[in-house]
Amino acid sequence: MKLSIISLFALFICSISSLSAQQEYVEYGFKGGVNIANISGDVPPGYDSRTSMKIGAYGLYKILPKFGLQVELLYSEQGFSNEYNQGINEAEKVEEILKMQYVNLPVLASYNVIENLWLEGGVQFGYLVRAEMEQETVTLDPIGEVNSKTETIDQNDRYESLDIALAGGLRYKLSRNFMVQARFHQSLNDVDKNLEGDQYHSVYSFSVGYVF
């Protein structure tokens, strides 16, 4: 699966590079950064954000000097963290981290508001590669000794494989070859098959990138 993801990124960059050679209004590059991810909506109390990573490539085709179409291919880690007590007198403390790996394809309109500052907005399509829950249970036995057990639980069947989201943010070019970016995306579809109601990915991301 990792080889397939790498192959997708390589194909994406080759396609953009080929187009760039033919058209001076194409900008492309690599970027990476952090996600502050959570699942919102009808969720139990205690869901908290998870900090993770994202990395990928992007291409911008300038239809007009100040307006363009931007497409990206990203590997994105999402999910949430959770902590609660259970057992007799709530003596067991449980810490959970839902680790989700997505391949995301944002398709965005990009508008140059002022020099070097671009406003971005559009739709994002995400494919769930893997979902697993890392769960640590901490207990205190009768003699006061602390015991800890960690297990990893596969969650692929619980979550929808396709995530469709709205995405928007800002991109600022620091120089000819470097840029910074801030973005938020929110799912449109329910992502959790088990919980009643609707649950959505809510992800803030901050990136730095190299522009060719």
Side-chain angles (χ1 to χ4, degrees):
M1 181 61 73
K2 289 183 178 178
L3 183 60
S4 299
I5 294 173
I6 293 171
S7 298
L8 277 173
F9 283 124
L11 180 61
F12 182 81
I13 287 298
C14 288
S15 300
I16 294 296
S17 300
S18 175
L19 183 59
S20 180
Q22 304 170 30
Q23 174 56 261
E24 61 179 328
Y25 292 108
V26 171
E27 176 186 302
Y28 67 100
F30 293 99
K31 69 174 191 172
V34 297
N35 286 335
I36 302 175
N38 205 345
I39 290 183
S40 59
D42 302 314
V43 298
Y47 274 28
D48 202 357
S49 60
R50 176 197 175 211
T51 302
S52 53
M53 63 162 284
K54 69 185 300 181
I55 190 169
Y58 80 96
L60 171 66
Y61 178 76
K62 297 176 183 176
I63 301 171
L64 298 171
K66 285 184 170 289
F67 182 79
L69 179 65
Q70 184 167 314
V71 180
E72 302 178 359
L73 185 62
L74 307 172
Y75 166 77
S76 177
E77 295 182 347
Q78 299 168 202
F80 65 85
S81 62
N82 190 22
E83 184 178 306
Y84 59 90
N85 293 322
Q86 65 180 15
I88 300 174
N89 298 322
E90 297 190 338
E92 294 184 353
K93 180 182 178 181
V94 180
E95 297 180 357
E96 298 176 330
I97 300 177
L98 177 64
K99 298 181 176 181
M100 310 180 80
Q101 300 175 14
Y102 277 89
V103 173
N104 288 336
L105 181 72
V107 181
L108 311 169
S110 189
Y111 179 73
N112 187 201
V113 182
I114 57 175
E115 185 178 4
N116 296 329
L117 180 64
W118 293 76
L119 177 67
E120 306 167 343
V123 65
Q124 174 177 282
F125 303 94
Y127 175 74
L128 178 62
V129 177
R130 178 180 296 175
E132 57 186 23
M133 180 73 77
E134 186 177 283
Q135 187 178 80
E136 180 183 13
T137 304
V138 180
T139 59
L140 186 66
D141 66 20
I143 62 172
E145 185 175 343
V146 176
N147 299 300
S148 175
K149 181 181 75 172
T150 301
E151 61 179 328
T152 300
I153 306 166
D154 187 282
Q155 299 279 278
N156 270 30
D157 292 337
R158 174 170 176 170
Y159 293 93
E160 296 288 350
S161 58
L162 179 63
D163 176 46
I164 302 174
L166 291 179
L170 296 170
R171 177 170 57 91
Y172 186 81
K173 290 194 71 174
L174 298 172
S175 66
R176 180 177 178 179
N177 295 113
F178 292 96
M179 65 91 171
V180 292
Q181 190 177 55
R183 183 179 297 166
F184 174 75
H185 83 252
Q186 171 88 30
S187 299
L188 295 174
N189 59 303
D190 182 10
V191 298
D192 192 328
K193 301 176 186 177
N194 288 8
L195 288 181
E196 294 184 359
D198 297 314
Q199 296 78 39
Y200 312 99
H201 284 296
S202 298
V203 182
Y204 292 91
S205 63
F206 304 92
S207 306
V208 295
Y210 183 82
V211 183
F212 291 96

